[in-house]
Amino acid sequence: MSEIPYKIYLSESEMPREWYNLRADMKVKPAPLLNPGTLQPMGFEDLRPVFCDELIRQELDDETPRVPIPDEIRKFYRMYRPSPLVRAYCLEEKLGTPAKIYYKFEGNNTSGSHKLNSAIAQAYYAKKQGLRGITTETGAGQWGTALSMACAYLGLELKVFMVKVSYEQKPFRREVMRTYGATVTPSPSDTTSVGRKILAEHPDTTGSLGCAISEAVEAATATPGYRYVLGSVLNQVLLHQSVIGLETKTALDKYGVVPDIIIGCAGGGSNLGGLIAPFMGEKLRGERDYRIIAVEPASCPSFTKGRFAFDFCDTGMICPLAKMYTLGSGFIPSPNHAGGLRFHGMSPTLSQLYHDGYMEAVAVEQTAVFEAAEYFTRVEGILPAPESSHAIRVAIDEALRCRETGEEKTIVFGLTGTGYFDLTAYEQFNNGTMTDHIPTDEELAAGLAGLPRQPE
Amino acid sequence: MSEIPYKIYLSESEMPREWYNLRADMKVKPAPLLNPGTLQPMGFEDLRPVFCDELIRQELDDETPRVPIPDEIRKFYRMYRPSPLVRAYCLEEKLGTPAKIYYKFEGNNTSGSHKLNSAIAQAYYAKKQGLRGITTETGAGQWGTALSMACAYLGLELKVFMVKVSYEQKPFRREVMRTYGATVTPSPSDTTSVGRKILAEHPDTTGSLGCAISEAVEAATATPGYRYVLGSVLNQVLLHQSVIGLETKTALDKYGVVPDIIIGCAGGGSNLGGLIAPFMGEKLRGERDYRIIAVEPASCPSFTKGRFAFDFCDTGMICPLAKMYTLGSGFIPSPNHAGGLRFHGMSPTLSQLYHDGYMEAVAVEQTAVFEAAEYFTRVEGILPAPESSHAIRVAIDEALRCRETGEEKTIVFGLTGTGYFDLTAYEQFNNGTMTDHIPTDEELAAGLAGLPRQPE
């Protein structure tokens, strides 16, 4: 076996030619999306006014295991992929652990995160359908940036509704999107009826992701030649993000490395679902076992404190119901939580897998996350996004456990992106003013009390 | 010949084991540094109070062509190198040019630029000498960030004097440095006598690079176990940066590609000198000819409007005299010039080569640079630093010329870094409020009138 380099780069010919649809190997499939009024499953025609045709097909397809990646998407992937799988030699050495640590680094593109893997796919199918443009919402801005980049490449119009507080506090994110040619509107805005209604009722609101989703959906259905796209949670997104895990597995296989533990941060589940896809596939087919750990923030603990139930994906309650681990669509994480991962729910696919015992979940507190982020920055050189740092925290904890036990476990984690646009949070940490808020039992109960009527 | 991939990554075993010292192949060597009082060349002992011993040896060595890269530096290089040499297929296609365009992308590390290549080397030699720490200045912040990253890795203290206006306007840069553990002081400060003097005379000053250099040098000489380091201009920096060109040449050689034109932006010359090193070596030895183009901002045109003379490297006039193309150490580029490349002088090595006709220089205006940057962002996906975008501008211009003539020239340019911390400038461009100021003949004459007494 040749020595493992610091960074394993696949050649372009080794890059995946197909995405992997994890659902095809699940014995219990994720529940279908339901119409919130009738509680009936939503089919292709029900979803067409809002979503692109091909993306709906991918969303509803629980059977096809391998989906060819269209040539034009593969061409775009080659601009920034394969992403490196890094052997964290420096981190191992500083920790003094016998564990072998690898991370798949998805921040090596201008959008700064893994979101681009699905953004280019969704933009491609919109373009192929002959659409003029698409709409979306963005909170912290990773998704909006990725989609702007993809739309610029394909010559597709893009309207981004950006949560107003982020629009104002993250002007750099906004300018990246504008440089890519996107229209960025602070939400709530007076460009939609739902925005105007909210502004009339709450003129001083700084906005929310739920409100931005509502505006984006309205703008998509009200503008001829437009559809709405979403960057996480959905099955189609996990399908596109499987490229992360497929590359990771190919790279490990080349060197005969078999991971013991696979760790990823989880907000809506797009990164985790993509990273674990082929490994979970082996597990589902009974070919091999892995410990798979989802890491979520203690301030927004969908897996560890949520309920597995049908719920709205948006706080505006206009989207279909998805069966998932949820804190209730009215649950809003404390504003002093700096990173992303603020979504009240979780990917229905991952929720089903967690429910069926195929993976673990752990919640970590913000200060511990930033301690790990700072340590990692100094040792491995990369400034991680706060989201990614949740996975770093647990990877370090597992490696330290190996130091105690002497076990030479192989740990793989997902480093989803860079923290260049999160330095206000780093500043708080550097100044010792960072805090966190763990929701109380009362706050959790209040969120769950807002769950919609469930089917029989 | 196999098809050329989008990104050529060398394997770790193909990475350079030696830096290349361009001066060894120069018939006319760059002039030595002079003592500004005596106008006599400064030797090893003269420079020891300020600089690290080994770095002085490298600075003064015009003879040794190949300098082994120490193992610990090579280990650090493997964390972020080899950097990709990208074939700009997308850019070629959109431009409709028969030219073949390649760029060496040095922004794929957290410091965001090529500066890290010399930062780790300088920090390493300081550590090896048993020093406690080092000082430096930073303007836009690329160098300070790179050095912070290197010092964190080696466990070396670092004091950065950051031009006050940048300290306040670029808080994110400051926080990255702090996250790496550096002490960042806005300059002028009350921590040095030169800073206190300036503050007493000009309490409202927003600082300058020259003042920050003076403070950093004073802090280095006044603190036991400290030395001062500099990120550009010096021969030693070009030596370390030769890793850029060596990797580029190895990657091109693998595919049998011979460039016709090599383009780099030039402020102090660290990137350009590194990128062109092995190609210029061939040219100096008469083995092969290349067109080599330095690109500078029209607002700070050292090569194209400066004089080849001895001058101070700092505006405070406390540093040695270097023979270089200079606009005069009192010349200050207009504040509405957004990017870096604001240095009044130029690497003595590159200056001598330019003087001897081995390379060309061209000055470009800021708006044209940002037009190229925005175009490149949308087509190639990478948000470039304003500095790097000077090279993009001229690469695009040369490619468009090929479209007219039908020539299939091979163009290589240096993409030195990313623009994540320069979005205020992008915002100006996006809003149509960006302007530039080309110095008038009177302003140029005033700068040159401040040149010091020249040796006979």
Side-chain angles (χ1 to χ4, degrees), chain A residues 4-10 12 75-82 84 86 89-90 93-94 105 107-112 149 152-155 169 171-176 178-182 373-374 377-384 418 420-424 426-428 430-431, chain B residues 4-10 12 75-82 84 86 89-90 93-94 105 107-112 149 152-155 169 171-176 178-182 373-374 377-384 418 420-424 426-428 430-431:
Chain A
I4 292 168
Y6 276 64
K7 296 182 296 300
I8 307 177
Y9 277 112
L10 302 179
E12 284 170 14
K75 186 175 159 194
F76 187 87
Y77 277 173
R78 283 198 296 271
M79 278 172 58
Y80 71 101
R81 307 200 69 83
V86 185
Y89 282 117
C90 299
E93 190 182 321
K94 292 267 173 168
F105 180 44
N108 258 0
N109 69 73
T110 285
S111 79
M149 195 168 156
Y153 178 78
L154 294 170
Q169 289 181 358
F172 285 6
R173 275 278 182 209
R174 180 186 76 209
E175 290 309 321
V176 177
R178 289 182 71 204
T179 301
Y180 279 114
E374 186 192 75
T377 303
R378 294 184 183 185
V379 174
E380 284 286 318
I382 296 173
L383 182 84
T418 50
Y420 299 118
F421 296 103
D422 304 286
L423 281 154
T424 307
Y426 275 96
E427 183 175 12
Q428 285 175 9
N430 290 334
N431 291 338
Chain B
I4 293 167
Y6 276 64
K7 297 182 295 300
I8 307 177
Y9 277 111
L10 301 178
E12 284 170 13
K75 186 174 159 194
F76 186 88
Y77 277 173
R78 283 198 295 270
M79 278 171 56
Y80 71 101
R81 308 200 67 82
V86 184
Y89 282 118
C90 299
E93 190 182 321
K94 291 266 176 173
F105 180 43
N108 259 2
N109 69 73
T110 284
S111 78
M149 195 167 155
Y153 178 78
L154 294 169
Q169 289 181 356
F172 284 6
R173 275 278 183 210
R174 180 187 78 210
E175 290 309 321
V176 177
R178 290 181 71 204
T179 301
Y180 279 114
E374 186 192 75
T377 303
R378 295 184 183 185
V379 174
E380 284 287 317
I382 297 172
L383 183 84
T418 51
Y420 298 118
F421 296 103
D422 303 287
L423 281 156
T424 307
Y426 275 96
E427 184 175 12
Q428 284 175 8
N430 290 335
N431 291 338

Side-chain angles (χ1 to χ4, degrees), chain A residues 31-358:
Chain A
L33 298 172
L34 299 189
N35 178 310
T38 65
L39 295 185
Q40 293 302 306
M42 294 185 79
F44 183 75
E45 291 299 332
D46 301 317
L47 296 165
R48 283 191 80 188
V50 175
F51 296 111
C52 304
D53 291 355
E54 187 59 31
L55 293 168
I56 300 172
R57 288 189 197 100
Q58 293 181 350
E59 189 65 26
L60 299 177
D61 181 356
D62 288 345
E63 303 303 328
T64 312
R66 302 269 162 190
V67 179
I69 307 176
D71 281 347
E72 190 145 3
I73 297 177
R74 293 184 61 229
K75 186 175 159 194
F76 187 87
Y77 277 173
R78 283 198 296 271
M79 278 172 58
Y80 71 101
R81 307 200 69 83
S83 71
L85 180 70
V86 185
R87 173 74 186 267
Y89 282 117
C90 299
L91 182 63
E92 292 170 19
E93 190 182 321
K94 292 267 173 168
L95 289 173
T97 177
K100 292 166 181 59
I101 309 174
Y102 295 82
Y103 55 91
K104 181 70 169 168
F105 180 44
E106 292 287 319
N108 258 0
N109 69 73
T110 285
S111 79
S113 82
H114 70 290
K115 293 285 184 185
L116 195 55
N117 303 327
S118 185
I120 184 61
Q122 298 196 42
Y124 167 79
Y125 290 117
K127 181 79 179 177
K128 201 180 159 207
Q129 192 176 328
L131 297 175
R132 217 176 85 211
I134 48 181
T135 71
T136 200
E137 76 292 327
T138 201
Q142 283 188 347
W143 169 245
T145 308
L147 200 59
S148 305
M149 195 168 156
C151 288
Y153 178 78
L154 294 170
L156 198 64
E157 293 175 15
L158 173 64
K159 297 180 184 180
V160 180
F161 289 87
M162 188 172 188
V163 177
K164 192 185 274 177
V165 61
S166 294
Y167 183 91
E168 286 162 359
Q169 289 181 358
K170 296 199 169 189
F172 285 6
R173 275 278 182 209
R174 180 186 76 209
E175 290 309 321
V176 177
M177 290 186 261
R178 289 182 71 204
T179 301
Y180 279 114
T183 306
V184 188
T185 305
S187 168
S189 74
D190 61 4
T191 68
T192 65
S193 60
V194 63
R196 285 189 293 273
K197 182 159 171 281
I198 291 169
L199 281 174
E201 287 166 12
H202 310 282
D204 297 327
T205 180
T206 55
S208 73
L209 205 55
C211 167
I213 293 178
S214 306
E215 286 204 86
V217 170
E218 181 186 324
T221 50
T223 316
Y226 267 71
R227 291 293 185 284
Y228 165 75
V229 302
L230 181 65
S232 193
V233 182
L234 298 176
N235 296 330
Q236 57 186 267
V237 178
L238 266 68
L239 175 71
H240 308 146
Q241 294 294 358
S242 69
V243 70
I244 304 173
L246 292 166
E247 280 186 11
T248 302
K249 186 148 193 334
T250 304
L252 291 173
D253 285 350
K254 268 180 82 163
Y255 290 89
V257 176
V258 179
D260 298 294
I261 309 174
I262 303 167
I263 301 167
C265 61
S270 70
N271 156 67
L272 181 68
L275 174 67
I276 67 173
F279 304 99
M280 182 61 88
E282 290 185 317
K283 192 163 174 168
L284 287 166
R285 295 188 301 269
E287 295 164 8
R288 192 169 252 157
D289 199 18
Y290 303 99
R291 251 188 93 197
I292 294 176
I293 308 176
V295 190
E296 57 185 14
S299 57
C300 191
S302 329
F303 269 137
T304 53
K305 301 275 181 149
R307 187 176 299 165
F308 190 43
F310 279 94
D311 196 8
F312 292 98
C313 289
D314 63 323
T315 49
M317 301 190 184
I318 61 168
C319 288
L321 299 181
K323 190 170 185 191
M324 55 187 179
Y325 280 86
T326 178
L327 298 163
S329 64
F331 180 85
I332 294 177
S334 161
N336 65 13
H337 177 64
L341 313 179
R342 301 170 62 89
F343 188 60
H344 66 275
M346 181 56 67
S347 145
T349 299
L350 294 182
S351 292
Q352 188 65 50
L353 290 165
Y354 179 66
H355 183 73
D356 294 343
Y358 287 100

Side-chain angles (χ1 to χ4, degrees), chain A residues 422-445:
Chain A
D422 304 286
L423 281 154
T424 307
Y426 275 96
E427 183 175 12
Q428 285 175 9
F429 179 75
N430 290 334
N431 291 338
T433 57
M434 174 166 275
T435 58
D436 199 7
H437 174 76
I438 320 275
T440 62
D441 289 346
E442 289 70 24
E443 287 165 337
L444 291 169

Side-chain angles (χ1 to χ4, degrees), chain B residues 180-203:
Chain B
Y180 279 114
T183 307
V184 188
T185 306
S187 169
S189 75
D190 61 4
T191 68
T192 66
S193 61
V194 62
R196 286 189 293 273
K197 183 158 170 282
I198 291 169
L199 281 174
E201 287 166 11
H202 310 282

